[in-house]
Amino acid sequence: MLMGMQQVILKRSDGRTPNQMRPVKLQRSWIKFADGSCLIEVGNTRVVCTATITDKVPPFLAGSKTGWITAEYGMIPRSGVQRSEREAKRGKQHERSVEIGRIIGRALRAAVDLSALGEHTIIIDCDVLQSDGGTRTAAITGGFVALVEALHKMREQNLLQSRNLPLFGFLAAISVGIVDRVEMLDLSYEEDARSSVDMNVAMLEGGRFVEIQATAEGAPFTHEQLIRLLSLARAGIEKLFELQREVLKDIV
């Protein structure tokens, strides 16, 4: 009886094991006119990330000879099960979109030596085409690919301070959580909706964490569970690094 109960608990709707990621696909240069772009597919989640190089910086950096990286995030009306209203129709962005954009920008800045950019800003736009969980982590992972393409373009145009790409390492992100008392990697929307703990993790190479967002939606979690979830996330992110390296191998 106990074995049967355990089998039911461990079963995921798509047949994955608790430590198994959804299939991930990265397509570089997906948008013709962008300075860098990437379509990332994580299971049924699809996010297109584009990079734009500008020759100005925020006012607080004027005259500093230092660059900036920022991000914006949004969802197209039918990216989810129900149609959502266009933010342009409301006249302003949803608070959730603004906050996720800040998170993406903050994570991407941690991967780059901004002083090497000169007074340039790279804008990363992340548009969710289809949402099935993990859109912000997919945006960080795909946004990094688009960002590296833009940095390569700056190098080709002699806009960087050196011929080396000013990267502190590869950057990727993934979700983990506790669902039905089981610690799981890469939650789908259905799993995220019924999780008791939901966590998003962004990490640089070498196990250097950039962003950890963890919330107990139901029961509180222990220190031991936190450590196991971080280890689970790190294992998943290491696999994302491999995919990024493969798709960027000709320019990094």
Side-chain angles (χ1 to χ4, degrees):
M1 178 64 70
L2 181 59
M3 284 297 295
M5 290 176 62
Q6 185 72 357
Q7 288 172 0
V8 171
I9 290 173
L10 292 177
K11 185 178 180 181
R12 303 178 77 170
S13 59
D14 54 10
R16 288 183 290 148
T17 58
N19 64 348
Q20 186 177 5
M21 296 166 51
R22 291 172 289 179
V24 179
K25 185 177 181 181
L26 299 171
Q27 296 184 57
R28 260 182 59 195
S29 305
W30 202 70
I31 298 293
K32 178 179 179 180
F33 301 108
D35 294 318
S37 65
C38 176
L39 173 68
I40 178 169
E41 301 178 43
V42 182
N44 290 319
T45 288
R46 294 178 175 84
V47 183
V48 60
C49 306
T50 55
T52 302
I53 303 166
T54 71
D55 59 358
K56 55 186 177 181
V57 293
F60 70 90
L61 286 176
S64 68
K65 298 182 180 180
T66 295
W68 191 246
I69 297 169
T70 187
E72 294 186 16
Y73 168 98
M75 303 176 70
I76 67 171
R78 277 317 304 262
S79 58
V81 177
Q82 303 292 332
R83 183 186 186 277
S84 59
E85 186 179 48
R86 290 187 186 275
E87 293 182 336
K89 186 176 180 180
R90 297 176 67 249
K92 64 177 183 178
Q93 282 188 291
H94 291 285
E95 291 181 5
R96 176 180 180 272
S97 297
V98 173
E99 179 58 26
I100 293 176
R102 289 172 178 161
I103 291 167
I104 297 167
R106 195 161 57 224
L108 294 173
R109 286 194 295 274
V112 178
D113 179 2
L114 299 177
S115 66
L117 302 184
E119 293 196 21
H120 294 89
T121 294
I122 302 177
I123 304 167
I124 306 295
D125 288 295
C126 303
D127 294 285
V128 179
L129 306 181
Q130 187 165 279
S131 173
D132 187 29
T135 59
R136 73 185 67 188
T137 53
I140 292 171
T141 303
F144 177 79
V145 174
L147 173 61
V148 172
E149 278 202 330
L151 291 172
H152 173 65
K153 184 172 183 177
M154 291 182 70
R155 176 171 60 184
E156 294 297 293
Q157 296 177 348
N158 295 316
L159 296 176
L160 297 178
Q161 301 299 316
S162 72
R163 292 298 298 171
N164 296 322
L165 293 181
L167 296 173
F168 295 130
F170 277 71
L171 170 78
I174 202 165
S175 67
V176 288
I178 300 177
V179 184
D180 299 333
R181 294 180 292 173
V182 178
E183 294 151 12
M184 293 185 179
L185 176 67
D186 187 21
L187 305 186
S188 66
Y189 175 80
E190 177 270 332
E191 291 168 339
D192 180 62
R194 59 189 178 88
S195 65
S196 60
V197 175
D198 175 29
M199 182 184 297
N200 297 301
V201 180
M203 190 184 81
L204 281 167
E205 288 179 281
R208 295 169 293 164
F209 293 106
V210 171
E211 187 92 25
I212 300 173
Q213 300 174 311
T215 304
E217 305 284 356
F221 54 98
T222 66
H223 176 264
E224 290 73 22
Q225 288 174 314
L226 173 61
I227 297 303
R228 289 197 298 268
L229 287 171
L230 288 175
S231 296
L232 191 60
R234 179 174 180 174
I237 291 173
E238 293 287 353
K239 294 178 182 178
L240 293 174
F241 288 156
E242 293 176 10
L243 295 174
Q244 289 175 326
R245 289 190 189 98
E246 177 61 28
V247 77
L248 292 167
K249 63 183 178 183
D250 61 319
I251 62 174
V252 174

